[in-house]
């Protein structure tokens, strides 16, 4: 059994770490090249802001629809195979996006790409639960979250200033951003192996587990899973509204499209070190709940403050949001691993992700419709203030899953 004296990651094949990081990068970078190009796609296809936001959020629709089936598939055939199938579908969809000549075709190909995300993303926590001790789940989650964040930050920051001028067309941009998913799919099947309790030395099926998976209908009765899903719903409502419309918000404040993308990417660049530091701090403190409810307060204040802020202050607010949103995200993402036994992690993660990511769909669409009607994002930001306040109360209702919890979590495993 690996020693757990600190947040040091136990011996894990480097291929697992590299492949997991790369597939996380490849999942999200093709999606986040869309917000900086929103004005280009809007003009090319004569779209409203709400319609353009659908091209951005379509992968999240598929993630929400397929997260539970993806988790069930992993429980049946293994997380490596399920995520690998998703990686192939994801690569295919991103390549096809580069061939689109109209909005309906681009949307259809984006749905294919999103289907691959729906099969792959829910199964990363499943692999984490097998390769890492439960107490280090947050630290391990931070490792692959850094890949996700790096992909988002690069896509937001360099798509308009560098890739679009290089290719000359939005189709060319989509082709460029199809390269990471292709490489990720190849390396995943070539390097990753299905974990087994015997080969990894990790707990057979979770501390306190019976070794038998819980029937899915019984998982649905766990109040804490619904609270975790609700918190992720509110989190994604905020994140996908903020990140999807941040470049437009900066342009409304007077920034050029190139500068707007760079300012918006600060949220994610700051989040990359946060994805490592926040789980380690939580590990040392032995507590998780403060990392769930405190970010809600910070995000409410940031959404309120950015309404009247100029471009200079917006740099700081983007950074503040990055710290808060990533701290909460990595903590929420580790909850299925910390609350559930190993054989139930895939389905629990799928349930939480499926429900939670519908928040991103709703938030992005609300932001687009408000912008279409009012020509401003101020009312959308006020909605984010209310959403952040609600997230604080939901987070306070969750159990403490850290080592310093006063008593074990009953009725979850």
């Amino acid at each position: 059994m690996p020693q757990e004296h600190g947040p040091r990651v136990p011996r894990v094949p480097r291929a697992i770490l590299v492949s997991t990081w790369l597939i996380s990068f490849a999942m999200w970078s093709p999606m986040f090249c869309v917000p900086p190009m929103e004005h280009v796609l809007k003009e090319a296809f004569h779209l409203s802001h709400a319609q353009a936001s659908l091209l951005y959020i379509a992968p999240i629709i598929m993630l929400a629809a397929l997260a539970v089936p993806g988790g069930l598939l992993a429980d049946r055939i293994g997380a490596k195979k399920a995520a690998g199938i998703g990686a192939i579908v994801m690569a295919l969809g991103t390549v096809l996006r580069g061939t689109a000549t109209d909005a309906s075709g681009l949307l259809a190909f984006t749905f294919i790409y999103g289907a691959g995300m729906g099969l792959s993303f829910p199964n990363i926590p499943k692999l984490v639960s097998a390769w890492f001790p439960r107490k280090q789940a947050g630290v391990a989650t931070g490792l692959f979250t850094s890949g996700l964040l790096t992909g988002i930050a690069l896509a937001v920051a360099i798509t308009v200033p560098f890739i679009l001028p290089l290719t000359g067309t939005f189709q060319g941009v989509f082709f460029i951003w199809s390269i990471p998913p292709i490489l990720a799919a190849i390396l995943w099947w070539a390097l990753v192996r299905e974990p087994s309790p015997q080969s990894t030395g990790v707990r057979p099926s979770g501390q306190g587990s019976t070794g038998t998976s819980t029937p899915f209908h019984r998982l649905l009765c766990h109040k804490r899973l619904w609270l975790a899903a609700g918190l992720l719903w509110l989190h994604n409502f905020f994140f996908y509204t903020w990140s999807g419309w941040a470049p437009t918000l900066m342009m409304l404040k007077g920034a050029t499209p190139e500068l707007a993308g760079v300012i918006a990417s600060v949220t994610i660049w700051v989040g990359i070190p946060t994805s490592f530091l926040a789980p380690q701090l939580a590990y040392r403190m032995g507590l998780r709940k403060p990392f769930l409810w405190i970010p809600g307060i910070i995000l409410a204040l940031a959404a309120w403050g950015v309404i009247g802020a100029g471009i200079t202050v917006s740099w700081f607010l983007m950074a503040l949001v990055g710290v808060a949103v990533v701290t909460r995200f990595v903590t929420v993402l580790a909850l299925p691993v910390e609350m559930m036994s190993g054989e139930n992690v895939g389905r629990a993660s799928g349930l939480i992700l499926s429900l939670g990511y519908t928040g991103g769909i709703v938030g992005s669409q609300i932001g687009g419709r408000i912008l279409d009607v009012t020509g401003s994002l101020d009312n959308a930001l006020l909605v984010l203030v209310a959403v952040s306040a609600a997230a604080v109360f939901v987070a306070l209702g969750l159990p403490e899953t850290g080592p310093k919890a006063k008593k074990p979590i009953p009725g979850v495993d």
Side-chain angles (χ1 to χ4, degrees):
M1 185 74 175
Q3 297 299 312
E4 298 180 8
H5 298 304
R8 179 180 61 85
V9 175
R11 291 186 179 274
V12 177
R14 291 182 180 179
I16 300 294
L17 297 177
V18 171
S19 299
T20 302
W21 190 94
L22 180 57
I23 200 171
S24 298
F25 179 100
M27 279 183 201
W28 298 91
S29 52
M31 176 180 169
F32 278 83
C33 71
V34 173
M37 290 199 301
E38 192 259 352
H39 62 292
V40 176
L41 297 171
K42 184 173 178 289
E43 181 178 351
F45 296 136
H46 307 289
L47 304 174
S48 67
H49 290 290
Q51 290 170 331
S53 73
L54 185 59
L55 295 175
Y56 156 60
I57 211 68
I60 300 302
I61 296 175
M62 296 306 293
L63 175 57
L66 295 179
V68 170
L72 291 171
L73 182 65
D75 288 340
R76 181 174 295 272
I77 69 173
K80 180 254 176 136
K81 292 180 180 177
I85 293 170
I88 294 173
V89 175
M90 184 170 58
L92 175 63
T94 55
V95 171
L96 289 174
R97 288 203 308 175
T99 68
T101 57
D102 55 43
S104 59
L106 179 56
L107 182 61
F109 297 145
T110 303
F111 276 130
I112 295 174
Y113 151 50
M117 287 181 62
L119 293 175
S120 293
F121 188 62
N123 295 312
I124 303 299
K126 179 76 171 179
L127 283 170
V128 168
S129 72
W131 286 107
F132 293 84
R134 173 178 297 202
K135 291 183 179 180
Q136 295 178 348
V139 177
T141 301
L143 292 175
F144 76 80
T145 301
S146 69
L148 178 159
L149 295 171
T150 303
I152 294 175
L154 277 178
V156 173
I158 71 174
T159 292
V160 171
F162 299 105
I163 298 180
L164 184 59
L166 177 66
T167 62
T169 65
F170 66 83
Q171 290 97 335
V173 172
F174 289 136
F175 274 127
I176 292 294
W177 284 115
S178 72
I179 295 174
I182 294 171
L183 293 176
I186 293 171
L187 290 179
W188 187 266
W189 283 101
L191 300 179
V192 176
R193 58 189 175 88
E194 198 72 57
S196 65
Q198 291 76 22
S199 63
T200 61
V202 185
R203 54 185 169 79
S205 57
Q207 297 169 349
S209 171
T210 63
T212 303
S213 61
T214 303
F216 188 70
H217 70 275
R218 290 187 58 191
L219 286 179
L220 295 176
C221 297
H222 287 306
K223 175 185 175 182
R224 293 173 181 86
L225 288 184
W226 289 99
L227 285 173
L231 181 58
L232 186 60
W233 192 96
L234 295 166
H235 173 91
N236 284 325
F237 189 111
F238 185 101
F239 177 71
Y240 287 98
T241 305
W242 182 279
S243 60
W245 294 109
T248 300
L249 177 63
M250 293 300 102
M251 284 189 281
L252 290 173
K253 292 180 180 293
T256 63
E258 293 78 9
L259 179 60
V262 174
I263 297 174
S265 72
V266 169
T267 292
I268 311 302
W269 288 120
V270 171
I272 294 172
T274 303
S275 69
F276 290 103
L277 297 175
Q280 292 187 37
L281 180 59
Y283 185 94
R284 293 182 184 279
M285 290 177 59
L287 299 171
R288 303 290 186 268
K289 282 186 69 171
F291 297 85
L292 294 172
W293 64 267
I294 292 177
I297 297 174
I298 296 173
L299 293 174
L301 295 174
W304 178 273
V306 80
I307 293 175
I311 291 178
T312 302
V313 177
S314 295
W315 287 87
F316 169 74
L317 293 175
M318 291 289 171
L320 190 64
V321 167
V323 172
V325 81
V326 172
T327 295
R328 187 168 64 186
F329 179 69
V330 295
T331 309
V332 172
L333 213 58
L335 284 178
V337 180
E338 294 180 328
M339 292 196 304
M340 305 302 296
S341 58
E343 65 277 357
N344 291 318
V345 168
R347 291 173 298 163
S349 297
L351 175 63
I352 291 172
L353 293 174
S354 179
L355 296 174
Y357 272 92
T358 61
I361 302 167
V362 175
S364 178
Q365 284 293 296
I366 287 178
R369 293 188 183 279
I370 289 175
L371 184 57
D372 283 328
V373 173
T374 68
S376 169
L377 285 167
D378 290 355
N379 289 332
L381 291 166
L382 291 176
V383 172
L384 294 188
V385 173
V387 165
S388 298
V392 173
F393 289 101
V394 174
L396 291 173
L398 281 163
E400 176 57 68
T401 59
K404 291 186 179 179
K406 293 182 179 180
K407 56 182 178 180
I409 305 171
V412 175
D413 284 342

